[in-house]
Amino acid sequence: MENSNKSFSLSRRDDGIAILSMDVPGESMNTLKAEFGPEISTLLSEIKADSGIKGLVIISGKPDSFVAGADISMLDACQSATDARELSSSGHKVFAELEGLKIPVVAAIHGACLGGGLELALACHLRLCSDDKKTMLGVPEVQLGLLPGGGGTQRLPRLVGITTALDMMLTGKQVRPKQALKMGLVDDVVPKSILLEAAVELALAGKAKRGKGKNNKPMMNKLLESNGFGQKIIFDQARKQVARKTQGNYPAPDKIIDCVRVGMSQGLEAGLATEARHFGELVMTPESAALRSIFFATTEMKKETGAEGAEPSPVHKAVVLGGGLMGGGIASVTTTKAKIPVRVKDISEQGLSNALGYAYKLLDKGVKRRHMTPAVRDKQMALMTTTTDYVGVKDADIVVEAVFEDLNLKHQMVRDIERECGEHTIFASNTSSLPIGQIAEAAARPENVIGLHYFSPVEKMPLVEVIAHDKTSPQTIATTVAFARKQGKTPIVVKDGAGFYVNRILALYMNEAAQLLLEGNSVESLDKALVKFGFPVGPITLLDEVGIDVGAKISPILEKELGERFAAPSAFDKLLADDRKGRKNAKGFYLYGPKAGKKKEVDKSVYQVLGIAPGVGAENANLAERCVVQMLNEAVRCLEEGIIASARDGDIGAIFGIGFPPFLGGPFHYIDTMGADQLLAKLERFQSRFGDRFAPSELLKTMAAEGRRFFD
C-alpha cells in the first residue's frame, strides 16, 4: 500500500488500475464528512500526476456498506443557510474533480449506498454492485427534510431519466441491485466474491464499455422527457402529487422538483447552483431540524437496553397465544424479521389457520414482487408451527399473549404458561388498556411479566410499548426490548398505567374530535383539518379503522383509572346500538363495499343515528387545534407522572405510534417550538369555554412560569 491515511487508502496494481478504498476508522459504516474534501482532492491530484495509472476503482473497506450517506451531525454545526450552502458547494467541487479524471473511474458497490454515497457513485463514470441483499441504493435525504446536495438532483435524472429520478428523490425509497440494473443506475450486477475483479475489468475496458445496465424507460416517459413541453407536464404532475401528499407541510419536495427543472432546462452548472442554494435553505428550516432530531433519537435508542445495567438474554424460541389479527401479525414479524421460530397456540384450528394464512400472504407479496424466491418463503414459513394445546412450548424463552381483552382470561394465560414453560420464560401481554400490574397479580413469578403493546397492523406500525410494572425485573425489560428490536420495531419503555402512553394521549384527541362532531362539524371537515395539520389520516377515519367497538371498550377503563376527562361522549352508544363497528363490518362513518364509490364517501345516515345536523359547527378555525392541544397536554401529564422516561421517548412514541406529524418533531418538540406559555394560554381559553377536560397539567404550568423547554 503506497498511500495510507485515516479514511482513504490508495494502492496500485501491476495492471495499471489503482484501488481507492474508503474505511472510516471506528465507525461501523462509512459516512462522508466535510473534512474529507481536502484529503480526497490531494489523492485525486496524485492520481492525475501518475501516468502509470490507467483506471481507478473506488471500493469500501467495510464488510457491509459502501457509503451510508453524509454525516448528518455536521449540519447541526451550520449557523446559517450560507454555511450549509458552502457544504454542498464544496462537495460539488470534489465530485467534479472525480468526474473530470481522464481515466475510467468505477464505483464497486456492496451494501448500503445511500445519499452522499450514491452521489459519489454517480460522479464515477461506471458503477457496478453486488447481488447481495444488503446492497441497496437510494437518496433518502427527503426523509430528513433535505435534498441530495452532492449533485444528486443533477446526475441522477441524467442517468435514469427525470420520472424515475423524481420518484427516487421524492419518496427516498431504496432500490435493490436488479432494479438498479434495470433502470440503468448501475452497469452490472455481480456476486460479491468477484466484485473487485469485475470492477477492475470494467476499468481496464474503459469508459466506452457501458455494462448491461439499460435504462428501460417506458415509451411515454421517453417521449415526455425528450422535449421542454413534455418536461413541463412531468414537473406539473409531480408538483400536484406532492401537494396532495404533503399538504404543504414539507418544503423539501418542491425544492427537489425545482432543482431538476432548472438543471434540465438551463444546464448542469445552473442546476448545481440551485441545488446548493436550496440545500442551504432547507438545512435551516424547522421541519428539517425536527426530522433530524427524530433520526438522532432513534439512532441513540438503538444503543440502549431499556434497563440500566441489565443485558438481554438470548431468545431462541417464542410462543404467541391467540391466532387473531394481532397474534398473526406478531408471529409473522417474529419469523420473518427476527428469524426466531414461533409456535402459535389458539383454542381453535380456525384461529391457527388464520395466523398461518396471514403470515403466508405477507411473504407471498415478496414472491410476487420478486423480492424473494418461493423456496425462501417456504423456509420462513417453516419457522412457524401451531398447536391447540400446550405441546412444544416448554422451551420458549418468551410468550406473547394476544388474546381477548378480559382480565380473567389473561390471568388464566399467565397460570397456564407458568405451568407449561420454564422458570425463565417471559410472559409479555399485548394488552392495549389493562394495567400490567393487574395481569401480573395471577403470577407466581411476577418479575417475568411485562407488557408488549403492538399497534395494528403489526407488520406496518413501527412502535411497540414495553410496559414494566413495579415488579418486572431489569433482565426481563432488557430481553423484551432486544426481542422487539429484532422484530424491526422501535421500542419505548413506559411505566404501567391505564392506556400506557400512546393510547392515553390518543384517547383525549379522539374524544375531542367526537365532541366537535356532536357540535355539528361534518365528518369530512374534521378529517380534512387534521390531515392538513399533518396526521396521516383524520380522527374519524381512524375510528372506523380501529373499530368503534374497540374505542367503546377502552374508554370506560381509562375513565375508571384516570378520571372523568376521559369520558367518551354518551352519544357514541347509539352507534353501537345501530351495529356500527367501522370497516370491520363495513358499517361506520364512511361507506364500504358495494355502496362505496371510488372516492371515500361519508355514510350520511350516521348523522341521523347521532341526532345531529352537520355543517352547523362554528369551530372551523379551531378544529385541529382543539384536538391537538388535548394530546399535547396529556403527553406532558404522562411525563410528569413518569409514564414516559423522557420527552425524547414521548416524541418517538407519538410519531411512530399514531403518526404525530414528523415535521413537528413530536409533541414535546412542538411545545418547545410554540412555547409552553402559548400552549397554557390556549388550554386556559378552552377551559373557560368547555370545562375542565382542558385543565392544564401542573408540569406545563411550571414550564410556562419558568420559561423552560423540554429540550435544551
Side-chain angles (χ1 to χ4, degrees), residues 50 129 138 179 190 299 313 339 415 446 540 570 592:
D50 188 340
C129 71
Q179 295 166 289
V190 297
T299 308
S313 305
K339 308 279 188 284
R415 287 192 281 266
I540 310 296
S570 55
Y592 299 97

Side-chain angles (χ1 to χ4, degrees), residues 71-85:
D71 181 2
I72 318 286
S73 57
M74 63 185 177
L75 301 179
D76 289 352
C78 296
Q79 297 295 306
S80 66
T82 310
D83 289 353
R85 186 173 73 195

Side-chain angles (χ1 to χ4, degrees), residues 105 123 138 206 252 325 338 344 380 447 514 558 649:
V105 183
L325 203 60
V344 183
Q380 295 213 342
E447 67 277 8
L558 296 180
D649 288 5

Side-chain angles (χ1 to χ4, degrees), residues 22-241:
M22 179 176 179
D23 193 346
V24 182
E27 304 279 343
S28 59
M29 293 215 173
N30 284 330
T31 55
L32 296 172
K33 301 175 195 285
E35 62 264 28
F36 292 166
E39 269 183 57
I40 300 172
S41 291
T42 307
L43 280 170
L44 293 178
S45 303
E46 187 185 322
I47 292 163
K48 260 186 236 169
D50 188 340
S51 58
I53 296 178
K54 303 277 185 286
L56 179 66
V57 169
I58 298 180
I59 198 162
S60 163
K62 302 286 181 203
D64 291 328
S65 74
F66 179 68
V67 180
D71 181 2
I72 318 286
S73 57
M74 63 185 177
L75 301 179
D76 289 352
C78 296
Q79 297 295 306
S80 66
T82 310
D83 289 353
R85 186 173 73 195
E86 275 309 303
L87 270 181
S88 174
S89 298
S90 57
H92 289 168
K93 285 192 192 88
V94 176
F95 286 162
E97 281 180 57
L98 181 66
E99 195 173 39
L101 287 178
K102 298 285 180 272
I103 54 169
V105 183
V106 180
I109 301 161
H110 166 70
C113 175
L114 304 171
L118 184 57
E119 290 175 301
L120 166 66
L122 288 169
C124 297
H125 307 133
L126 296 156
R127 286 151 295 283
L128 84 164
C129 71
S130 74
D131 59 5
D132 197 284
K133 64 171 184 292
K134 287 182 178 143
T135 299
M136 297 297 263
L137 298 90
V139 271
E141 285 87 348
V142 72
Q143 293 161 1
L144 294 173
L146 301 168
L147 52 75
T153 66
Q154 303 307 304
R155 290 190 181 94
L156 192 59
R158 283 171 172 78
L159 186 65
V160 300
I162 297 172
T163 315
T164 306
L166 281 176
D167 182 40
M168 282 179 73
M169 291 189 282
L170 294 173
T171 61
K173 70 177 177 194
Q174 300 176 17
V175 299
R176 295 157 191 268
K178 271 186 190 161
Q179 295 166 289
L181 184 64
K182 197 175 169 190
M183 62 170 65
L185 184 56
V186 296
D187 297 285
D188 207 353
V189 174
V190 297
K192 183 192 173 192
S193 55
I194 62 162
L195 180 65
L196 180 59
E197 284 312 312
V200 168
E201 265 176 53
L202 205 50
L204 284 167
K207 293 186 202 178
K209 171 89 171 80
R210 300 292 317 185
K212 301 172 195 162
K214 301 190 178 42
N215 188 351
N216 300 328
K217 280 194 282 189
M219 191 44 114
M220 191 62 186
N221 288 3
K222 281 182 188 162
L223 287 171
L224 284 173
E225 292 179 15
S226 63
N227 62 80
F229 179 68
Q231 286 180 16
K232 186 181 180 308
I233 294 174
I234 292 171
F235 294 129
D236 287 348
Q237 278 302 100
R239 280 225 161 82
K240 272 186 205 147
Q241 278 176 324

